């Protein structure tokens, strides 16, 4: 007897904006174009079952989607490439895909209680493993509403060459606002294309379009590690402490580290106060050390920790807060396995902190010039086995989505852009500075992280 499918697709509908778009074509920027080889972003919210019948729920969501698209017309458009090879978003009202799915044999607990994220979650999103270049002939946005036994999941799949996390969550927040009775969106997106991000450089696309730069079929294990506000403050205090503990390496005093310690504690004069390490950088350093330990590399192996940064406020002049599109750059921080593990967590956090602080307008423009000299798609993946890539942000308003029946109980993501070493940061549901890290690793590395005492000391539940 055949097994029951995890998800049953009930219907697919095209939703168009309530009013015709008058927005001109938007040229893809130097931050958009590299994402053409990435999967559609897949993020979504899990809700307790709304107290309204399913037909009314669907009608509310479809109507709200049509109305909010009038404020976000690019999402109802398609990508086009002109005869000169430049790629644009045509806000041509072609529509977005709306999927109604059924999984009433699944409960909220089935999705959020397992220690490792179940494979089932991937079925809650449309456009599975769709590459963003395919937005030339696929909808730019897909919304899937999946009924559960005691809840509903709303999954968003959106072209990564069209939006980054800031733009995506502003859209989702606005969608919820409209569904909850608002007549207008409170945070209007900005579609102006007059910054240094708009370039004459052209990306040469291979025949058939670009492909993702990582193996989509490598076995992976995914877990969401939760950190309470109290645990993060404790970690931050430890990282920012003036006390240094790693004076010894292989049984000998390390003179360089003693000098570093003296400088940090103002025993030797230096210019300016020592910058405070943020909570998030402290958390990144904790994870960097745990994963590096678990991977068991020789001390000479170079490791990389990549962090995506928002460039809107780093440019001069600044972009609007709700500039629509990608305005991100990926900052790599390098350190040998020996340094990551023999120096203390403060040192690791300082390396991350220095790179983020130095990424000002000059550095953003340098990244742009480097890309213009060699236009290419973003090389996403773990190419030497020693990389970590941090995406998303605990600052994104992922829980500020009340469609009229209460806020979400959880945030989850689909299969998109996941590989060994891909990390996504979410705000914790309890708020107040709590953080969830969605960690994707090889099964062997995950097992090592889960048994790492330093790391698990700060994890909610500790196991």
């Amino acid at each position: 007897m055949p097994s029951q499918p995890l998800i049953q697709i009930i219907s697919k509908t095209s939703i168009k904006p309530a009013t015709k778009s008058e927005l001109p074509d938007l040229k893809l920027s130097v931050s958009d174009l590299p994402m053409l080889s990435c999967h559609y972003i897949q993020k979504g919210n899990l809700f307790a079952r709304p107290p309204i019948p399913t037909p009314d729920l669907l009608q509310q969501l479809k109507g709200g989607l049509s109305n909010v698209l009038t404020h976000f017309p690019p999402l109802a458009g398609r990508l086009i490439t002109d005869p000169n090879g430049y790629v644009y978003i045509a806000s041509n009202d072609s529509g977005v895909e709306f999927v109604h799915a059924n999984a009433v044999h699944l409960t909220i607990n089935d999705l959020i209680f397992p220690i490792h994220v179940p494979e089932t979650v991937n079925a809650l999103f449309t456009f599975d493993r769709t590459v963003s270049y395919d937005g030339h002939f696929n909808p730019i946005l897909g919304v899937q509403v999946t009924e559960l036994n005691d809840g509903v999941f709303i999954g968003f799949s959106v072209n990564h060459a069209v939006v980054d996390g800031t733009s995506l969550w502003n859209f989702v927040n606005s969608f919820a606002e409209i569904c909850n009775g608002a007549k207008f969106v409170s945070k209007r997106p900005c579609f102006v294309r007059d910054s240094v991000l708009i370039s004459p450089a052209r990306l040469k696309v291979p025949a058939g379009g670009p492909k993702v730069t990582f193996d989509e079929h490598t076995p992976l294990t995914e877990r969401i590690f939760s950190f309470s506000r109290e645990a993060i403050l404790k970690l931050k205090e430890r990282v920012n402490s003036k006390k240094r503990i790693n004076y010894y390496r292989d049984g000998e005093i390390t003179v360089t580290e003693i000098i570093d310690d003296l400088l940090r504690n103002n025993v030797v004069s230096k210019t300016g106060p020592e910058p405070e390490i943020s909570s998030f950088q402290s958390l990144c350093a904790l994870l960097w050390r745990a994963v590096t330990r678990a991977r068991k590399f020789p001390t000479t192996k170079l490791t990389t920790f990549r962090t995506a940064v928002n460039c809107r406020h780093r440019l001069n002049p600044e972009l609007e807060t709700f500039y629509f599109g990608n305005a991100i750059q990926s900052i790599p921080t390098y350190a040998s396995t020996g340094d990551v593990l023999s120096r203390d967590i403060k040192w690791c956090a300082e390396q991350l902190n220095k790179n983020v602080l130095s990424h000002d307008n000059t550095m953003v423009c340098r990244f742009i010039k480097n890309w213009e000299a060699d236009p290419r798609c973003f090389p996403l993946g773990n190419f030497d086995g020693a990389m970590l890539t941090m995406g998303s942000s605990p600052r994104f308003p992922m829980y500020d989505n009340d469609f009229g029946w209460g806020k979400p109980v959880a945030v989850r993501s689909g299969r998109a852009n996941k590989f060994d070493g891909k990390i996504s940061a979410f705000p914790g549901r309890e708020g107040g500075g709590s953080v969830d890290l969605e960690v994707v690793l090889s099964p062997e590395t995950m097992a090592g992280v889960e048994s790492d005492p330093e790391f698990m000391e700060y994890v909610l539940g500790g196991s």
Side-chain angles (χ1 to χ4, degrees), residues 91-103:
S91 299
N92 56 16
D93 303 318
S94 292
V96 308
E97 181 172 277
F98 186 93
V99 179
H100 173 213
N102 186 303

Side-chain angles (χ1 to χ4, degrees), residues 99-153:
V99 179
H100 173 213
N102 186 303
V104 293
H105 57 290
L106 295 175
T107 66
I108 289 175
N109 287 347
D110 290 333
L111 299 180
I112 66 175
F113 269 19
I115 291 177
H116 297 142
V117 177
E119 181 78 12
T120 311
V121 171
N122 296 327
L124 301 174
F125 299 88
T126 188
F127 296 134
D128 182 42
R129 286 175 283 196
T130 299
V131 175
S132 291
Y133 183 82
D134 294 348
H136 281 82
F137 39 86
N138 279 324
I140 283 173
L141 170 66
V143 180
Q144 180 170 320
V145 180
T146 304
E147 293 182 80
L148 309 175
N149 178 274
D150 55 352
V152 64
F153 190 91

Side-chain angles (χ1 to χ4, degrees), residues 33-204:
L33 288 165
M35 301 302 177
L36 286 170
S37 65
C38 297
H39 290 145
Y40 276 43
I41 301 174
Q42 294 179 318
K43 296 288 191 295
N45 285 141
L46 179 62
F47 297 88
R49 176 169 284 281
I52 56 176
T54 296
D56 294 345
L57 169 68
L58 295 174
Q59 192 59 42
Q60 178 186 351
L61 291 172
K62 289 178 180 179
L65 183 56
S66 178
N67 286 324
V68 78
L69 287 172
T70 65
H71 303 284
F72 293 82
L75 295 179
R78 298 291 185 271
L79 297 182
I80 59 171
T81 300
D82 74 7
N84 296 316
Y86 293 113
V87 185
Y88 293 81
I89 309 166
S91 299
N92 56 16
D93 303 318
S94 292
V96 308
E97 181 172 277
F98 186 93
V99 179
H100 173 213
N102 186 303
V104 293
H105 57 290
L106 295 175
T107 66
I108 289 175
N109 287 347
D110 290 333
L111 299 180
I112 66 175
F113 269 19
I115 291 177
H116 297 142
V117 177
E119 181 78 12
T120 311
V121 171
N122 296 327
L124 301 174
F125 299 88
T126 188
F127 296 134
D128 182 42
R129 286 175 283 196
T130 299
V131 175
S132 291
Y133 183 82
D134 294 348
H136 281 82
F137 39 86
N138 279 324
I140 283 173
L141 170 66
V143 180
Q144 180 170 320
V145 180
T146 304
E147 293 182 80
L148 309 175
N149 178 274
D150 55 352
V152 64
F153 190 91
I154 305 179
F156 298 92
S157 302
V158 62
N159 194 299
H160 207 337
V162 176
V163 302
D164 59 9
T166 298
S167 295
L168 167 61
W169 288 107
N170 186 37
F171 165 73
V172 178
N173 292 166
S174 300
F175 181 22
E177 265 188 324
I178 295 294
C179 286
N180 205 5
K183 300 299 182 185
F184 304 99
V185 300
S186 60
K187 299 171 182 175
R188 297 181 64 85
C190 173
F191 301 110
V192 173
R193 292 294 189 267
D194 62 358
S195 76
V196 68
L197 295 177
I198 305 303
S199 169
R202 279 175 292 190
L203 176 69
K204 292 182 180 179

Side-chain angles (χ1 to χ4, degrees), residues 397-410:
M398 302 182 186
Y399 285 93
D400 295 353
N401 301 311
D402 185 347
F403 288 83
W405 55 81
K407 293 191 175 183
V409 299

Side-chain angles (χ1 to χ4, degrees), residues 204-231:
K204 292 182 180 179
V205 177
K211 308 299 179 188
V212 294
T213 54
F214 57 91
D215 185 351
E216 299 173 285
H217 305 289
T218 300
L220 299 169
T221 302
E222 180 178 342
R223 176 169 174 175
I224 294 179
F225 294 97
S226 296
F227 300 85
S228 68
R229 167 184 166 83
E230 292 72 25

Side-chain angles (χ1 to χ4, degrees), residues 250-273:
D250 298 327
E252 297 182 359
I253 296 176
T254 307
V255 176
T256 300
E257 291 192 7
I258 295 178
I259 294 173
D260 284 348
D261 185 50
L262 292 173
L263 287 169
R264 287 184 179 88
N265 286 282
N266 295 308
V267 176
V268 179
S269 63
K270 59 178 183 176
T271 59

